[in-house]
Amino acid sequence: MSVSRVLALATCFAASSLAASVWEWQSRSIYQLLTDRFSLEGGGTTECITDYRKYCGGSYRGIIEKLDYIQDLGFDAIWISPIVANIEGVTVYGEAFHGYWAQDIYSLNPHFGSEEDLLALSNALHERDMYLMVDIVVNHFGPPVNSSTPYASFRPFDKPSHFHPYCIITDYNNQTDVEQCWLGDNKVGLADANTENPFVVKTYYSWIRHLTQKYDIDGLRIDTVKHVRKDFWPAFSTLSGVYTVGEVYHGDTAYVKDYTYVIDGVLDYPTWYQLFPAFQTSTGNLSALAEVVHKAQLTYKTGLFGSGAFSENHDQPRFPSLTSDTARIKNVITFPFIHDGIPILYYGQEQGYTGGNDPYNREALWLSGYVEEGKELVDHVKALNAARKAAIATCPGYLLTPMTFLGVTATTMAVYKHPLLALFTNVGSNGTASWNVQGTEWTPGTELLEVFSCNVVAVDETGTLKATAVGGQPQLYIPASAPINHCSS
Ligand code: ABC
Ligand code: CA
């Protein structure tokens, strides 16, 4: 019997073993947005051509005006773009609208608003019992100006000794290069901070402590974690005083696992690597998806608890750019919500956005009109958040119950995380699939609500849940007695 199965049987136990801040995040779900692309103050609908890679005008005040929309989708946390002042002007890859090209870590990026505006956002979120997660970068600054004093405009790191000597990372298998060479390419190289230099280290440690306090930040998404030596992170993470989840962009749990010992959690890239291929076609490998989850559950410091579970982000082509099959799209969107980690939705997924690789996956959301009525994916996301909330309310142990796979076939998969059961299939809208699920805690006759269709079914006399996919759609079950308002409205 595997470790995760043993734990799964002990459901509904009280949660206590994770640090408070991680624990407080664990019950939430996160809406990731790009500050420049989410909302214009005053409700404008100016065009925003992703191809240009320029600022389109989104701001903190714009976000505040659209918190109802985010909350209505069922989210209780947002992740915003990096907030510090970035280099100005246009590079061959456009402007720093994404926020990852720091120039002065002690000032805010004026394109997104003032200090007062950011504080207003933080307050507005807290008034709604929502959390603020800020994206931060310590690995690098922006591309330096090509002159004899390339770092002079940076603050506070303005000397050559504050940066690693120029070399672009080419060999991602050489960890020293990954940590000490520069990200980017020979057109736009990102000045790699010398995180071995004591002044740089000390400055970053005190900077992060003050930043989280000053803006009342609840959590950090840390960029480029694998590009900084591991032993930089524990003190940094602790001093931040908040939940830290890091981007370790790598597909192998054996590589990623070490980072789960130095920060609170990682964005679950290894699972993401298997997710799209699993559902993109009916020959996708669902077993590979189950296997990678198992490996992470067994080898990460706290399993997948405290990790960030996502299906899309700003660095990857959106799933609907790879397939237009809505059934497949719904299967993919569902997966992070039955995952052990904290579910993250990338803005625009709910509106069916289809952008490909960076910069096309960074569309302006105001062009959607934020319409909720009659939008299939908006409804789907609402159902997912409602079901997860109801599961937590019914059974506090849900959050520390490892997801288990109760049967994986070539085209179907059942994921059980008591009291939720999700059924997946990659057959697509024109295919047929069915599930016979056994091994749940539900006794014969137990009535279950399928939250996407709002149908109620009963577990049969042998304890089996029999289900048939309607046009390749996923299904999500919770006991009909659970307090879920999604199907009553
Ligand atoms: C700009 C242009 C791009 C251009 C690039 C060179 O410069 O827009 O079109 O290709 C920010 C901006 C980007 C900008 C970059 C660079 O800065 O958002 O628009 O790209 O100036 C984080 C953020 C990301 C951010 C940065 C930089 C870091 O999420 O938005 O980018 O602050 C690496 C890093 C990762 C980083 C990512 C963009 O680059 O590790 O932290 N993301 C391999 C490596 C990865 C590497 C990846 C992409 O390539 O293993 O470490 O990510 O270069 C699989 C392999 C993988 C392989 C992938 C691509 O293919 O198994 O190993 O990943 O099959
Ligand atoms: Ca580095």
Side-chain angles (χ1 to χ4, degrees), residues 440-475:
T440 69
E441 292 177 34
W442 295 317
T443 50
T446 305
E447 293 204 317
L448 303 174
L449 174 73
E450 198 288 297
V451 301
F452 302 140
S453 64
C454 294
N455 292 332
V456 174
V457 298
V459 175
D460 81 4
E461 64 286 356
T462 67
T464 307
L465 176 70
K466 295 201 167 85
T468 303
V470 182
Q473 306 276 330
Q475 300 187 5

Side-chain angles (χ1 to χ4, degrees), residues 218-249:
D218 305 294
L220 299 173
R221 180 270 190 187
I222 308 180
D223 191 63
T224 40
V225 164
K226 74 177 192 186
H227 297 280
V228 175
R229 65 190 164 89
K230 293 185 187 74
D231 53 7
F232 171 88
W233 294 116
F236 182 87
S237 179
T238 304
L239 286 166
S240 78
V242 297
Y243 168 61
T244 52
V245 62
E247 181 217 20
V248 181
Y249 186 155

Side-chain angles (χ1 to χ4, degrees), residues 53 79 93 97-101 135 137 139-140 143 169 172 178 183-185 188-190 221 223-227 247-251 269 273 313-316 358-359 362:
R53 307 175 198 242
W79 149 14
Y93 294 126
F97 71 92
H98 41 69
Y100 293 98
W101 295 345
D135 207 328
V137 189
N139 175 64
H140 55 262
I169 305 170
Y172 272 90
V178 168
L183 264 176
D185 59 20
V188 177
L190 306 182
R221 180 270 190 187
D223 191 63
T224 40
V225 164
K226 74 177 192 186
H227 297 280
E247 181 217 20
V248 181
Y249 186 155
H250 203 285
Y269 252 113
Y273 270 76
N313 67 30
H314 59 303
D315 289 335
Q316 309 300 343
D358 166 15
R362 300 170 178 195

Side-chain angles (χ1 to χ4, degrees), residues 366-378:
W366 51 84
L367 299 175
S368 74
Y370 309 94
V371 174
E372 296 177 61
E373 210 58 39
K375 291 264 173 140
E376 207 178 342
L377 296 175
V378 166

Side-chain angles (χ1 to χ4, degrees), residues 135-182:
D135 207 328
I136 56 140
V137 189
V138 304
N139 175 64
H140 55 262
F141 271 50
V145 183
N146 197 6
S147 72
S148 52
T149 54
Y151 307 113
S153 67
F154 289 162
R155 182 159 167 251
F157 306 138
D158 54 4
K159 298 188 174 57
S161 64
H162 297 152
F163 294 91
H164 290 131
Y166 177 82
C167 55
I168 293 293
I169 305 170
T170 50
D171 181 4
Y172 272 90
N173 295 315
N174 180 332
Q175 188 60 26
T176 308
D177 278 16
V178 168
E179 289 174 10
Q180 303 192 6
C181 285
W182 295 25

Side-chain angles (χ1 to χ4, degrees), residues 81-145:
S81 302
I83 60 177
V84 303
N86 272 223
I87 60 153
E88 289 295 334
V90 186
T91 71
V92 297
Y93 294 126
E95 297 176 335
F97 71 92
H98 41 69
Y100 293 98
W101 295 345
Q103 188 251 322
D104 174 1
I105 61 170
Y106 291 132
S107 304
L108 292 184
N109 187 333
H111 296 270
F112 301 156
S114 63
E115 290 192 6
E116 205 184 15
D117 297 334
L118 180 53
L119 277 167
L121 173 60
S122 182
N123 288 334
L125 285 162
H126 295 145
E127 271 167 24
R128 293 165 184 256
D129 188 28
M130 292 173 75
Y131 278 175
L132 174 64
M133 173 175 281
V134 169
D135 207 328
I136 56 140
V137 189
V138 304
N139 175 64
H140 55 262
F141 271 50
V145 183

Side-chain angles (χ1 to χ4, degrees), residues 310-354:
F310 63 97
S311 50
E312 290 184 8
N313 67 30
H314 59 303
D315 289 335
Q316 309 300 343
R318 292 181 182 272
F319 187 62
S321 73
L322 308 172
T323 174
S324 58
D325 187 307
T326 308
R328 294 207 161 93
I329 292 167
K330 284 189 191 168
N331 274 273
V332 161
I333 291 185
T334 302
F335 194 75
F337 288 81
I338 185 116
H339 186 285
D340 294 341
I342 303 163
I344 304 172
L345 188 90
Y346 180 51
Y347 84 103
Q349 288 194 265
E350 76 281 11
Q351 293 289 345
Y353 274 15
T354 58

